[in-house]
Amino acid sequence: MREIDLKNFKIRTDLITESVCNFKKEEVEEGIWVSMVSLDEEKAETCFKKPGTYTTIEFTDITDMDNFIRVKNVLKSHLKSFIKGEKTLLIGLGNQKSTPDILGPKTIDEIVVTSYLEAFGPLEEGFSSTAIFKPGVTGETGLETSQVLKSIVESFKPKQVIVIDALASKSLERVCKTIQITDTGIEPGSGVGNKRTEISSNTLGVPTLAIGIPTVVDAVSVVSDTITYLMKQYSFQKTFLKTKKSRLVPSSQMNYLKEEVEITREDKEKVLGMLGALEEEEVKELFTEVLTPIGYNLMVTPKEIDFTVDKLAHLLATSLNEILHPKLEGKKE
Amino acid sequence: MREIDLKNFKIRTDLITESVCNFKKEEVEEGIWVSMVSLDEEKAETCFKKPGTYTTIEFTDITDMDNFIRVKNVLKSHLKSFIKGEKTLLIGLGNQKSTPDILGPKTIDEIVVTSYLEAFGPLEEGFSSTAIFKPGVTGETGLETSQVLKSIVESFKPKQVIVIDALASKSLERVCKTIQITDTGIEPGSGVGNKRTEISSNTLGVPTLAIGIPTVVDAVSVVSDTITYLMKQYSFQKTFLKTKKSRLVPSSQMNYLKEEVEITREDKEKVLGMLGALEEEEVKELFTEVLTPIGYNLMVTPKEIDFTVDKLAHLLATSLNEILHPKLEGKKE
Amino acid sequence: MREIDLKNFKIRTDLITESVCNFKKEEVEEGIWVSMVSLDEEKAETCFKKPGTYTTIEFTDITDMDNFIRVKNVLKSHLKSFIKGEKTLLIGLGNQKSTPDILGPKTIDEIVVTSYLEAFGPLEEGFSSTAIFKPGVTGETGLETSQVLKSIVESFKPKQVIVIDALASKSLERVCKTIQITDTGIEPGSGVGNKRTEISSNTLGVPTLAIGIPTVVDAVSVVSDTITYLMKQYSFQKTFLKTKKSRLVPSSQMNYLKEEVEITREDKEKVLGMLGALEEEEVKELFTEVLTPIGYNLMVTPKEIDFTVDKLAHLLATSLNEILHPKLEGKKE
Amino acid sequence: MREIDLKNFKIRTDLITESVCNFKKEEVEEGIWVSMVSLDEEKAETCFKKPGTYTTIEFTDITDMDNFIRVKNVLKSHLKSFIKGEKTLLIGLGNQKSTPDILGPKTIDEIVVTSYLEAFGPLEEGFSSTAIFKPGVTGETGLETSQVLKSIVESFKPKQVIVIDALASKSLERVCKTIQITDTGIEPGSGVGNKRTEISSNTLGVPTLAIGIPTVVDAVSVVSDTITYLMKQYSFQKTFLKTKKSRLVPSSQMNYLKEEVEITREDKEKVLGMLGALEEEEVKELFTEVLTPIGYNLMVTPKEIDFTVDKLAHLLATSLNEILHPKLEGKKE
């Protein structure tokens, strides 16, 4: 894999856990995993990522109210170390007319805004000063998002900025099931040409936290993931049949991803021919070449995206509200 | 009337034609009236208005497509003298969650935006560079609107700014039936405390045109207008019965506003008692004192406001689009 | 007053408390009044209303959370006697594109729907079978609402029907501050021509409860109410100045509606001239004749209607949900 | 392929062109293909489809206005033979809260409704009687859609019914790019349990036309399609390099789908190993078995679905409006 030029590799991902760096993630509660990494300049360069701190929370479900609360608690415990109860500007990036892109604006709409109340005296104990902003996307407004944000920050002078955005994943498994928190900022996909569109502590001049959740995945990743799953299932069933681990559950209904199995090069080439001889990144490159000229290298999103984005925005907003305004904690849900 | 202190008078109006200055309005087409006035410093002070140019277009109907087009043509002919085909920033003021206030944002949403295309080369002939911005209201965002706009203008550097806003009228007749265009800017009602919230050429540093349509009226004005109509109808019927102008249409069904009739002080006091002895502004002041302590000095809006605002936003947007981008002229509607 | 033909009187009201019948209302909690009346055939005819039971709840505020809960509790205690925990069809009348008319559909959207779960077995204890329906308005769908509802009821076979609708009031005071509950059904204003459009136990064939809240008022009522207030304030101030009840609060800031004062015919004629010689209903008739020929007898709604309707729909929906599904009681808010 | 039990095969499709029947499609204009088939009872059974007439229109683009009009004209020419200018009920199936499912309701919202005008006299020449209905989905309303529609049809008594719905495709290529018109009706996916939910001439008792556009595709089809494309590209490049057809365009940028190439069993097994030895349906079955136990056999939709559905609904609505109301033809767009 190391031979191919990763810097120019075309699959888009916004997730650090999908970079080439190795991470160890820890299951902090049943069905919730956290990985944290701090990249110095040198390490960052190896990963093709920006130096800084990255926290990734992965979960399997937030539709159940109990799970929702458990994920919210994990999220809050990690946000707390980044967020100070000071004058905060929260920014919801993304196109409000596009469902998979509406995560940022939807979250922002649920934030309890207080800064304008300071004109009437100090805020009530348990509340901090907050303002929100939804810049829209350049293709709708004609304004360059990073430029607009710079001006707003200069005029409002917040002590910290929190940017929320919908991301792209290169893995089917992580879509709508991963939250990434980083102090390195964000580079929204909507930038035009080669202008610098980074939104970060560097460009805004105040500490800037970026919170993102992937809501779309590219077709190439769906295909490449499935090929990988096919091999995992094949190897699992081979092992399973040999060891006869369980005689009760048919192997076809078992979640083979939960088991550690070895996939040999021989098996790969037997099952997948020439395709099996390629490394994962090469497989992606190949499918990119297959889908791109015929116009089918789409970004896709799950059919239920409207409901999922609602839930995720509510998760982010209630977590942020309770940290920024501790008085709200335990109010409802 | 001149005795009462008009500067402190509480009835809110954003319309120049409702100020104390006298205007002569001209019927430019059937059912469409235009008044134009240019106030120098001295004259402006007498009217308690800002110096500059004011154009007011009044109409009776835009739901009929023919009337819509006629009003649009009058509007365009007056906008043309203000708007140059240069880098334009259009700003839609108002709260997007409040129907009578959504006129600005709704208009802006229909504007054809082009400025981001300049990154790819000069715009097609017949199109000019446009960008849009919806600042929301301070109570929702926590940001001071005039501050935000100043920053955006400084960063985007437009050659001209067009601000669109829903206004308050102090007359039932003018609600949703008047367009005011002025180069003096605007002072949105959403300002907090006594901070300066003016949005104008002075504060933004570039020529700024304000376009407004009243969508709300206060209860006091509804009452005071009706009292005036009562006297007009009374006097009309007295005259009408005397002259027996028409024997076919019952007087009760005639539009008495269209006739010039004299209302005598004697008639007023006979019909309205002590109330009839007051001047119009004193009547308003009286009703303000009646309604305010019991909490009924409401701003109201017609029941059909959703449909009316849609139509009005479409009127403004198509007019602006055709002036900013002449290529669009005659495309549809 | 009794001389004028009330049956043909043009001011539209849907509220029983605004009919000619006398009601005594009782303040059940601070700021919450309830009146209940049961009209037999004979009494109903005198009031120009349908025979049946009418409960009216009036309140001053539900924006404060404490007040919201107090009004909700009063509402629930009265709904309980009407609603049985059986197969219920809830119907939200009104045009979803018109803010003052959206109360019914908005309420319905918050109802917890369960009937489709019965296909999988009996419902969980504490939940009853519910379904919802939003018929829209005839001018949008082309379908006659009462016909459509009859068909749906025949096919779904509910044990009871609850219809929710926005009403018209003929009093400024009651707009958005009155809930009317009646087992006599409803006759939506959107009916075309002289077809029967009643929605009631009679037409649907199952017990039908109508819940309505007035969200609009006609301009004539705004004017006529204000004239009445003017006289009340005048008489109050005369009495107040005589008795010198309070030397601290200026009379101009006191809520004169809270005091019982006598308004003499002499005062009325002195203050209002010929207008003061008329009875309240005659005043309304007069103003109707003044405003109608010039096209200003509008229905109006408060400027804040978007926010108010949201709150009211939430009030109705949470109350209904907690009665239909007792398991939900005390869950949140 | 014929050995596997197609009746029980799990991949869902609503498109006749994706059934096992063979179709010949014809390119009626550049980039627009039409296939028509009439299945008698016997033929229908072989295809596992209902007997009747199926018309399928495939296109590559409708975002360009010229292409939009060309597709609209082809669509109208085929709709015309089905639709008579009589009392028509148009039904928009689908969940209004789910973007990929909103096609039916969105189309319906743009239909010009006239039936309620008949109360005032015969319709204007060039307009026919139309009404619309949006039943929602059972999971939201609690009502069984097919039951509700039956009642509405019985009460409104239309001469014909037109049902519009978003479909599922089993091919990436056809998502949002295929319109299917059939007189066999529709069986919406939202049905609960094993109740009959068919909506058709049989169940409604009047001629019923179903118009559908696929807006979602399952992950298995995305994978299986890509595997097929891989083989096509491989074979194309082999042939291409041999014949040196073109020395100017690099083969990697050519649309290999446009060329007819032979894919040999040898090539398939060489490139894809055991996977290459399977027939297309077996590949789908295999990937279904891989993705289902781990919960990733999702239905997906393109990231841009909001914009695409808007365009498609507008295409259907303008076509239907112009056929039902010829007077509207050539009005705009």
Tab-separated table of all heavy atoms in Angstrom, chain B residues 216 292-293:
chain	number	residue	atom	x	y	z
B	216	VAL	N	-47.366	45.203	8.673
B	216	VAL	CA	-48.123	45.238	9.929
B	216	VAL	C	-48.626	46.653	10.194
B	216	VAL	O	-48.089	47.634	9.676
B	216	VAL	CB	-47.270	44.781	11.145
B	216	VAL	CG1	-46.890	43.317	11.031
B	216	VAL	CG2	-46.037	45.645	11.306
B	292	THR	N	-52.829	50.760	25.675
B	292	THR	CA	-51.536	50.339	26.208
B	292	THR	C	-51.614	49.723	27.620
B	292	THR	O	-51.088	48.628	27.836
B	292	THR	CB	-50.532	51.503	26.155
B	292	THR	OG1	-50.455	51.943	24.797
B	292	THR	CG2	-49.150	51.077	26.633
B	293	PRO	N	-52.285	50.365	28.588
B	293	PRO	CA	-52.254	49.773	29.936
B	293	PRO	C	-52.932	48.410	30.040
B	293	PRO	O	-52.646	47.658	30.964
B	293	PRO	CB	-52.991	50.815	30.791
B	293	PRO	CG	-53.744	51.675	29.851
B	293	PRO	CD	-52.994	51.666	28.573
